[in-house]
Amino acid sequence: MNRIKVVLEEKGIKQTWLAGKLGKSYNMVNSYVQNRQQPRLEVLMQIAEILDVDVKDLIVSNKSYI
């Protein structure tokens, strides 16, 4: 799972803008945002750079801490 949707909302950025910056279709970016498909690591790093956040801010950890 990723937090792309949350970060976009926090920054007030539209999916269409991100799609243009990535050179990907709106449908592909929407798949990432809705967690239907996960971006490759290279794409995730590119998204983090475009949004000016640490790549860790885009990832939901699946580890549970006791």
Side-chain angles (χ1 to χ4, degrees), residues 31-64:
S31 291
Y32 298 157
V33 169
Q34 299 300 323
N35 278 295
R36 289 190 304 266
Q37 183 173 344
Q38 295 305 313
R40 293 185 334 235
L41 183 56
E42 297 84 9
V43 174
L44 195 63
M45 292 172 69
Q46 191 178 9
I47 292 170
E49 186 175 322
I50 291 168
L51 297 179
D52 194 30
V53 296
D54 192 299
V55 73
K56 292 181 217 171
D57 294 336
L58 298 176
I59 299 170
V60 175
S61 175
N62 60 359
K63 278 190 169 182
S64 57

Side-chain angles (χ1 to χ4, degrees), residues 4 7-8 10-11 15 17-20 22 39 43-45 47 49 54-55 57 60 62 65-66:
I4 297 170
V7 174
L8 286 174
E10 288 173 355
K11 292 186 169 273
Q15 293 178 41
W17 180 87
L18 180 59
L22 284 172
V43 174
L44 195 63
M45 292 172 69
I47 292 170
E49 186 175 322
D54 192 299
V55 73
D57 294 336
V60 175
N62 60 359
Y65 296 95
I66 299 174

Side-chain angles (χ1 to χ4, degrees), residues 7-29:
V7 174
L8 286 174
E9 288 173 355
E10 288 173 355
K11 292 186 169 273
I13 295 173
K14 301 282 185 199
Q15 293 178 41
T16 50
W17 180 87
L18 180 59
K21 289 289 190 179
L22 284 172
K24 298 207 176 282
S25 71
Y26 169 82
N27 287 339
M28 179 62 73
V29 171

